[in-house]
Amino acid sequence: MQRERYASRRGILKLAAGLAGLGLLPAGCTGAGASPWRGVNLIATPDAPLGSAACGHSLRHLRNQGGNAVALIPFLWQPAPADPRIVLGDAVSADQLRAGIRQARNLGLKVLVKPHVWVPQTWAGAIEFTQAADQAEWLARYQALLLDLAILAQEEGAEALALGTELRGVSGDPAWTRIITQVRNRFRGILTYVAHWDGELDRLPFRTLLDVPSISLYPPLGEDDAGLAGRIEALAAALARQGPLWVGELGLRSAVGGQLKPWESPEERAALPDGDLQARVLDHWLTALSRHGLHDVLLWRWFSDPDAGGPQDTDFTVQGKPAEAVLKRHFGS
């Protein structure tokens, strides 16, 4: 069983604190003049591994909807939040990642290699250590894994690499400065880090070393549609005032009540399907972000299986749902 594909979007945090704490800085190098990154986070499924014909069909469909970029996700795995024994997970092997990068680039898609850490029954933001020696061991192991990914990404021509995703419990360690130096010795593309929307990026000791900062964007949006567009507009305006950034993740389930806790996975709460809700929320987000100059957006998520999704599905994917038309309207323009 490929457990890593079920990474949770947990982390209930107050919206006000998130807005107050973002504190993003302008990027030192964002590829001025290049077309915006508009695409998805791709999750490989067992029946459609990266590089397969089925995955190629799924990526071509994404391209036909206007997408020009894809985040490919190698999952790392560790037994518990305070256990430093982190390893490469079994969902996407190094060979499969290579094949996926080649496949996506051959289709004209830009590629971000974006590692995620999967921790059973929780999420990457829960990783935290009480013993300094354990944190040092974890960072050493993580560095080794990240350097392997950096070499692979450079060899295969990936345009960007994320240092990590939502590692808020360990991202304040000064060792990251050394790690970034080592990564830059091996990867010459765009370097980013996907911070949690609670203000993690403002706390990063290495934020000025990034080419462009990124965030995952899952703030709670209220109980119903009343005032929904206005709340999203205010959030987008607040983000825009912080300087250039990428939205490394944006999404919600196509499920009743999905806007309440947009990070919530199907495994956390059973709900009836509501594709129209997902479409409305994403339409509001993409409209507001674009209006405020935030054009680089990777939706969460899209599966390598071209038959994934559909009207009865309650996952985050927009495949086969009304939100797919929203994607095409915004990304294809």
Side-chain angles (χ1 to χ4, degrees), residues 68-295:
N68 70 356
V70 62
L72 300 182
I73 301 175
F75 281 101
L76 312 181
W77 184 89
Q78 66 187 74
D83 191 323
R85 295 173 297 169
I86 186 170
V87 298
L88 180 66
D90 60 7
V92 178
S93 68
D95 287 343
Q96 288 170 351
L97 182 58
R98 285 186 185 277
I101 296 172
R102 293 175 187 175
Q103 186 175 52
R105 298 194 76 238
N106 286 338
L107 289 170
L109 299 172
K110 295 185 285 190
V111 174
L112 165 66
V113 176
K114 181 171 172 277
H116 285 214
V117 181
W118 191 88
V119 187
Q121 308 303 317
T122 185
W123 66 303
I127 297 171
E128 192 170 5
F129 300 94
T130 57
Q131 300 297 319
D134 287 341
Q135 181 157 313
E137 179 183 348
W138 185 93
L139 285 162
R141 289 173 179 265
Y142 189 88
Q143 175 180 308
L145 293 166
L146 186 60
L147 292 182
D148 286 344
L149 291 174
I151 293 169
L152 188 155
Q154 179 65 33
E155 290 175 347
E156 298 302 334
E159 287 79 0
L161 172 68
L163 293 169
T165 303
E166 300 180 332
L167 297 171
R168 61 179 188 165
V170 290
S171 59
D173 195 296
W176 284 97
T177 301
R178 181 191 71 246
I179 293 172
I180 291 171
T181 299
Q182 294 298 315
V183 170
R184 286 205 182 277
N185 287 337
R186 292 158 175 81
F187 180 74
R188 295 188 293 275
I190 299 168
L191 199 61
T192 189
Y193 173 85
V194 184
H196 193 270
W197 56 268
D198 70 338
E200 180 194 359
L201 197 53
D202 187 49
R203 304 188 294 271
L204 291 181
F206 57 82
R207 61 187 182 183
T208 59
L209 302 180
L210 300 171
D211 293 318
V212 59
S214 300
I215 61 167
S216 59
L217 195 52
Y218 300 98
L221 298 171
E223 295 185 359
D224 51 42
D225 277 5
L228 179 63
R231 288 191 291 274
I232 290 174
E233 178 72 20
L235 286 163
L239 290 175
R241 288 194 294 269
Q242 309 306 320
L245 72 148
W246 288 359
V247 177
E249 293 182 26
L250 171 66
L252 75 162
R253 296 171 57 195
S254 53
V256 172
Q259 82 287 355
L260 277 167
K261 300 176 181 179
W263 61 85
E264 189 176 54
S265 70
E267 293 75 35
E268 293 175 281
R269 181 179 66 92
L272 293 173
D274 191 343
D276 290 337
L277 170 67
Q278 182 189 49
R280 288 196 305 275
V281 171
L282 290 178
D283 189 24
H284 288 320
W285 266 121
L286 293 173
T287 298
L289 290 169
S290 180
R291 180 160 46 240
H292 291 284
L294 300 172
H295 302 295

Side-chain angles (χ1 to χ4, degrees), residues 19 28 66 75 298:
L19 287 175
F75 281 101
L298 295 171

